[in-house]
């Protein structure tokens, strides 16, 4: 009876131990299968990300991004299973290490997806993600090793139970002891030895020997150990396939990255050569306002210095170019660094038309480098581009030309005035003699008319010269614009009547408007030019003048029913020596010098107003307008 009780107690303890061991082995098997799926999903993540790295189209990049999102969802589900099933503290630590590494891999892949298509930044994410995947494999091996180490602990528990059973059996009866030993040996052979073999295989794998194979004896078992061995074998086979595929794919991606890097380097070399061959200075700055590129011409232009003799020379170009150095060289007249920051923040260009530098004159143009969205709106400023042009010779030529016109005009006006005066005296005091000789009269009349026309041309040249050099003075005062218009209409009325053209002007309406504050004589010159042009191009039609009040300004509109202008001809307006004709290369000398609108523009803008073409079309007439302030500058709020 004692033997039976002892054997029964030992059997109950052994059966309980066997059942607990089987359940734990089953849990460990499930965890290892889940870990296989987790590792497989991580492999899928890096595989799809590598495909994304070499995608050439937005559509393919979108497809890979969707696959990556689905794999991340699968990983989150596996996390939920493993979080609840792992109870051993050491295994839990190994699992958390694997989880954190895969989390870092997911974060790096997310950053790579965001930077997809941006070249160097995506390549950096690609390299880091592949490195993290290598860490994930190592953490997975650690996880497996800890799970198998847990199996060893369970084995030790079984062994301890064997000893305990032996003690109970020896006290009760030697036969019970012998039965317990035999039963424990059977359990050891049935569970512990296969686990030892599987543990040995796992240890070899964690040491890098992925070419080893699971023993067929373990694979053929029908118990939980066999299931665990088969799951481990499937995971090992899949791992080999994935590693092989990943290495093959990684080699292809690396080759494509090398090829694209070479292409980018070639493009960069061509771009740098093109920029260096420009005949203007070129400076490119980045997001941190540091100089990324500065071409040879820019270095030469900024190397000018003024000597004690008052001339400029080029100093050795051994500088390390920075925005601070360029800012220092340009001096207080142009704050280079401040202006590139302003151009970048406001997203519009900045121009310095004339900068005195080292005895030279530079024109500086700064434009922002921006990224635009699909609607054409600027979304991000990447830096700026600065162009520096040496306009010294051009300005010298322009100044020489202006001085020539000014001197020549002054010198011409005196003899022309004498010719006009003398021919006028001849026409007055020798009227009878001229009446007798018609040919002589025509000669004198031609001389007089030609001298008058030449004086008008000379006056235009003088006006242009003074206006361009800023030497024309204005005498602003408050006056009635309608009175000036009426005066000009009165002077041109006879000419208009001869052509069958009428002037219309609403005197009563204009009398209710405020006075203009400008130079009255110069305003009359502008009105005379606009009405004269309208009369010149209108045959048997109507010229209408209207005045409107617009805030603190008066706008004068001159409309005619003349021939009108084509779109091409309108591009020539308000330019020096340009006429509204069909060709840029031919001139109609009967229509004047082409200075009238140019002079009018300079005069109006000099008085604080604006002038423009409102509308024109062939056969439909033309409308010009100009505005003048109604208040003095100090009165304007």
């Amino acid at each position: 009876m004692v033997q039976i009780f002892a054997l029964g107690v030992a059997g109950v303890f052994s059966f309980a131990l066997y059942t607990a061991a089987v359940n734990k082995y089953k849990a460990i098997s499930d965890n290892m299968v889940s870990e296989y799926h987790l590792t497989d999903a991580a492999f899928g993540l890096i595989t799809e990300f590598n495909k994304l790295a070499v995608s050439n189209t937005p559509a393919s990049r979108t497809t890979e991004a969707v696959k990556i999102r689905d794999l991340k969802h699968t990983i989150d589900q596996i996390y939920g299973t493993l979080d609840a099933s792992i109870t051993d503290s050491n295994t839990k630590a190994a699992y958390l290490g694997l989880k954190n590494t895969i989390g870092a891999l997911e974060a790096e892949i997310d950053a790579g997806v965001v930077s997809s298509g941006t070249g160097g930044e995506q390549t950096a994410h690609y390299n880091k993600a592949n490195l993290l995947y290598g860490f994930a494999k190592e953490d997975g091996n650690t996880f497996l090793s800890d799970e198998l180490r847990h199996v060893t602990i369970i084995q030790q528990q079984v062994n301890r139970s064997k000893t305990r059973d032996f003690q109970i059996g020896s006290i009760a009866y030697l036969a019970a002891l012998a039965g317990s030993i035999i039963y424990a040996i059977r359990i050891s052979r049935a569970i512990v030895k296969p686990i030892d073999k599987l543990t040995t295989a796992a240890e070899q794998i964690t040491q890098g020997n992925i070419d080893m194979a699971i023993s067929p004896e373990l694979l053929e078992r029908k118990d939980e150990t066999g299931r665990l061995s088969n799951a481990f074998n499937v995971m090992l086979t899949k791992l080999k396939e994935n590693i092989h595929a990943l290495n093959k794919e990684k080699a292809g991606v690396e080759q494509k990255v090398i090829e694209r890097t070479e292409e980018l380097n070639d493009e960069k070399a061509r771009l740098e050569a093109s920029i260096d061959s420009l005949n203007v200075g070129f400076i490119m700055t980045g997001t941190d306002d540091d100089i990324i590129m500065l071409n040879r011409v820019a270095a030469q232009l900024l190397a000018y210095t003024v000597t004690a003799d008052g001339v400029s020379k080029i100093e050795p170009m051994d500088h390390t170019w920075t925005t601070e150095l360029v800012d220092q060289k340009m001096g207080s007249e142009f704050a280079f660094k401040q202006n590139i920051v302003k151009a970048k923040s406001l997203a519009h260009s900045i121009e310095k038309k004339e900068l005195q530098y080292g005895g030279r004159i530079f024109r500086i143009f700064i434009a922002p480098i921006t990224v635009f969205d699909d609607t054409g709106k600027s979304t991000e400023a990447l830096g700026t581009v600065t162009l520096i042009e040496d306009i010294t010779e051009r300005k010298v030529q322009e100044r020489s030309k202006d001085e020539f016109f000014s001197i020549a005009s002054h010198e011409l006006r005196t003899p022309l005035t004498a010719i006009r005066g003398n021919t006028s005296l001849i026409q007055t005091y020798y009227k009878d003699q001229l009446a007798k000789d018609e040919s002589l009269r025509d000669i004198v009349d031609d001389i007089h008319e030609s001298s008058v026309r030449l004086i008008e041309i000379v006056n235009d040249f003088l006006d242009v010269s003074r206006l361009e050099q800023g030497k024309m003075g204005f005498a602003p005062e408050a006056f009635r614009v309608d009175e000036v218009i009426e005066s000009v209409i009165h002077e041109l009325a006879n000419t208009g009547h001869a052509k069958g053209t009428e002037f219309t002007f609403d005197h009563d309406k204009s009398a209710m408007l405020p006075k203009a504050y400008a130079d009255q004589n110069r305003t009359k010159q502008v009105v005379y030019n606009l009405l004269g042009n309208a009369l010149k191009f209108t045959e048997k039609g109507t010229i209408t003048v209207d005045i409107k009040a617009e805030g603190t300004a008066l706008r004068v509109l001159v409309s005619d029913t003349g021939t009108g202008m084509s779109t091409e001809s309108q591009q020539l307006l308000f330019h020096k020596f340009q006429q509204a004709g069909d060709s840029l290369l031919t001139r109609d000398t009967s229509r004047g010098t082409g200075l009238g609108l140019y002079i009018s523009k300079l005069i109006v803008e000099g008085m604080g107003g604006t002038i423009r073409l409102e509308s024109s079309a062939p056969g439909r007439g033309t409308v010009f307008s100009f505005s003048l302030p109604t208040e003095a500058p100090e009165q304007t709020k």
Side-chain angles (χ1 to χ4, degrees):
M1 189 69 180
V2 174
Q3 297 92 331
I4 296 174
F5 177 77
L7 185 60
V9 171
V12 170
F13 286 155
S14 298
F15 180 78
L17 177 62
Y18 175 79
T19 302
V22 167
N23 289 334
K24 290 182 179 180
Y25 293 154
K26 183 177 182 301
I28 292 172
S29 175
D30 291 338
N31 289 343
M32 294 177 72
V33 170
S34 296
E35 192 276 347
Y36 154 68
H37 289 300
L38 182 62
T39 306
D40 187 61
F43 169 79
L45 271 180
I46 191 64
T47 299
E48 298 303 330
F49 180 57
N50 288 337
K51 293 179 182 179
L52 177 70
V54 296
S55 297
N56 294 322
T57 64
S60 62
R61 288 195 288 270
T62 301
T63 300
E64 300 304 328
V66 170
K67 292 180 181 179
I68 289 173
R69 183 192 62 197
D70 294 339
L71 286 167
K72 287 172 60 181
H73 179 67
T74 300
I75 289 175
D76 290 340
Q77 291 179 328
I78 297 173
Y79 283 161
T81 300
L82 290 174
D83 286 345
S85 61
I86 298 176
T87 57
D88 179 67
S89 60
N90 293 328
T91 306
K92 189 78 171 182
Y95 161 67
L96 291 177
L98 174 60
K99 184 176 180 181
N100 291 336
T101 303
I102 294 179
L105 174 63
E106 289 181 335
E108 193 62 30
I109 288 177
D110 288 342
V113 171
V114 172
S115 66
S116 176
T118 58
E121 185 178 356
Q122 184 183 356
T123 301
H125 291 305
Y126 156 76
N127 291 331
K128 190 171 182 181
N130 279 278
L131 180 63
L132 286 170
Y133 178 69
F135 295 159
K137 289 193 298 181
E138 294 176 4
D139 291 345
N141 291 335
T142 302
F143 173 76
L144 288 175
S145 298
D146 285 335
E147 283 283 43
L148 293 175
R149 193 177 296 109
H150 190 197
V151 170
T152 302
I153 293 172
I154 296 173
Q155 177 187 354
Q156 293 173 354
Q157 293 175 351
V158 172
N159 289 336
R160 285 196 300 270
S161 176
K162 179 182 67 176
T163 303
R164 193 164 51 250
D165 290 345
F166 176 80
Q167 292 174 347
I168 295 174
S170 62
I171 295 173
Y173 194 69
L174 292 176
L177 177 60
S180 298
I181 293 174
I182 293 172
Y183 193 68
I185 291 174
R186 291 184 62 187
I187 292 177
S188 176
R189 289 177 178 177
I191 297 177
V192 177
K193 287 185 179 180
I195 295 299
D196 283 338
K197 292 181 179 180
L198 192 58
T199 302
T200 301
E203 289 174 349
Q204 292 182 12
I205 293 173
T206 58
Q207 294 171 2
N209 183 18
I210 63 172
D211 293 327
M212 65 86 57
I214 304 299
S215 171
E217 178 185 350
L218 295 176
L219 298 175
E220 293 173 359
R221 293 178 65 89
K222 303 302 182 182
D223 56 7
E224 294 299 327
T225 305
R227 180 187 172 195
L228 178 61
S229 299
N230 279 280
F232 195 80
N233 187 59
V234 170
M235 182 177 65
L236 179 61
T237 302
K238 187 67 175 178
L239 179 62
K240 292 177 182 179
E241 294 174 355
N242 289 346
I243 291 175
H244 177 72
L246 178 61
N247 290 335
K248 183 178 179 181
E249 185 175 357
K250 182 179 179 181
V253 171
E254 288 176 346
Q255 181 60 34
K256 290 184 178 180
V257 169
I258 292 172
E259 292 173 357
R260 291 193 178 183
T261 301
E262 291 176 351
E263 292 175 0
L264 289 174
N265 289 335
D266 292 341
E267 290 296 329
K268 181 181 178 182
R270 283 193 291 271
L271 177 62
E272 289 179 346
S274 299
I275 291 174
D276 206 46
S277 64
L278 292 173
N279 59 358
V280 296
F282 180 94
I283 301 175
M284 179 184 291
T285 61
T287 54
D288 297 330
D289 302 327
D290 52 330
I291 293 181
I292 299 174
M293 185 180 298
L294 183 141
N295 72 348
R296 173 183 51 81
V297 176
Q300 291 177 345
L301 292 177
L302 294 174
Y304 278 109
T305 57
V306 179
T307 66
D309 298 328
V311 296
S312 59
K313 69 175 184 178
I314 297 179
E315 61 186 10
M317 294 178 294
D318 56 354
H319 301 296
T320 299
W321 292 101
T322 63
T323 51
E324 290 79 9
L325 178 59
V326 176
D327 200 39
Q328 177 184 351
K329 282 180 165 291
M330 289 188 176
S332 60
E333 288 191 28
F334 187 76
F336 176 70
K337 187 169 185 178
Q338 179 180 341
N339 278 288
I340 64 173
V341 172
K342 182 179 178 182
K344 189 172 62 174
S345 61
L346 299 180
H348 68 71
S349 59
I350 295 174
E351 181 181 12
K352 176 71 172 178
K353 294 184 178 180
E354 294 185 20
L355 174 66
Q356 300 291 333
Y357 177 85
R360 314 292 293 178
I361 303 176
F362 292 165
R363 173 180 173 266
I364 301 177
F365 182 84
I366 301 176
I369 305 173
T370 56
V371 177
F372 296 92
D373 58 18
D374 295 337
T375 63
K377 183 180 179 181
S378 174
T379 58
E380 182 183 3
L382 303 179
T384 62
V385 167
T386 301
L387 299 179
I388 306 175
E389 181 182 7
D390 188 346
I391 59 173
T392 306
E393 298 303 323
R394 185 197 311 170
K395 298 303 294 183
V396 169
Q397 291 176 1
E398 290 178 358
R399 188 172 300 145
S400 299
K401 179 190 64 177
D402 292 339
E403 290 176 354
F404 168 77
F405 275 119
S406 179
I407 295 171
S409 299
H410 277 291
E411 294 300 324
L412 285 171
R413 188 159 59 172
T414 299
L416 287 173
T417 302
I419 294 172
R420 182 186 63 180
N422 290 330
T423 54
S424 178
L425 290 174
I426 292 173
Q427 289 173 332
T428 302
Y429 293 103
Y430 296 92
K431 185 182 301 183
D432 295 337
Q433 289 87 333
L434 295 176
K436 296 176 183 179
D437 190 340
E438 185 175 347
S439 298
L440 180 59
R441 184 189 62 200
D442 291 340
I443 292 173
V444 174
D445 289 344
D446 286 342
I447 294 173
H448 182 74
E449 291 175 3
S450 297
S451 65
V452 171
R453 178 60 184 147
L454 283 173
I455 290 174
E456 291 176 355
I457 293 174
V458 168
N459 287 335
D460 285 346
F461 286 166
L462 287 172
D463 285 344
V464 169
S465 178
R466 288 197 295 266
L467 286 166
E468 288 182 338
Q469 296 181 37
K471 294 180 179 179
M472 177 173 283
F474 294 97
E477 59 178 327
F479 65 94
R480 301 206 60 82
V481 178
D482 56 306
E483 295 177 357
V484 173
I485 294 173
E486 289 176 357
S487 173
V488 175
I489 290 176
H490 179 73
E491 293 178 16
L492 296 175
N494 291 334
T495 305
H497 182 72
K499 294 183 64 176
T501 300
E502 296 183 357
F503 290 95
T504 61
F505 178 58
D506 190 341
H507 304 271
D508 297 334
K509 175 183 175 182
S510 302
M512 304 297 294
L513 297 173
K515 294 181 179 181
Y517 189 83
D519 189 313
Q520 183 171 352
N521 291 330
R522 296 302 176 187
T523 302
K524 183 176 181 180
Q525 185 177 350
V526 173
V527 175
Y528 198 95
N529 282 336
L530 293 180
L531 292 182
N533 280 346
L535 184 60
K536 187 183 303 181
F537 294 99
T538 303
E539 297 289 341
K540 295 181 181 181
T542 304
I543 299 174
T544 303
V545 184
D546 190 20
I547 308 177
K548 296 180 179 179
E550 296 180 352
T552 59
L554 288 178
R555 181 165 295 279
V556 179
L557 294 97
V558 178
S559 309
D560 63 60
T561 58
T563 57
M565 291 176 286
S566 64
T567 303
E568 293 78 8
S569 296
Q570 294 175 24
Q571 308 304 316
L572 305 176
L573 297 176
F574 303 110
H575 292 283
K576 188 166 29 174
F577 300 117
Q578 295 296 331
Q579 299 171 327
D582 296 329
S583 174
L584 284 170
L585 304 177
T586 60
R587 294 181 55 80
D588 184 355
T589 55
S590 65
R591 293 186 175 183
T593 61
L595 291 174
L597 288 178
Y598 180 68
I599 292 173
S600 299
K601 179 177 183 294
L602 296 179
I603 290 175
V604 171
E605 291 179 350
M607 296 188 299
T610 59
I611 186 170
R612 68 189 182 204
L613 172 68
E614 296 285 346
S615 63
S616 184
R620 297 185 181 179
T622 302
V623 180
F624 281 97
S625 73
F626 71 92
S627 66
L628 294 174
T630 58
E631 299 177 0
E634 60 270 18
Q635 295 174 328
T636 304
K637 294 181 181 180

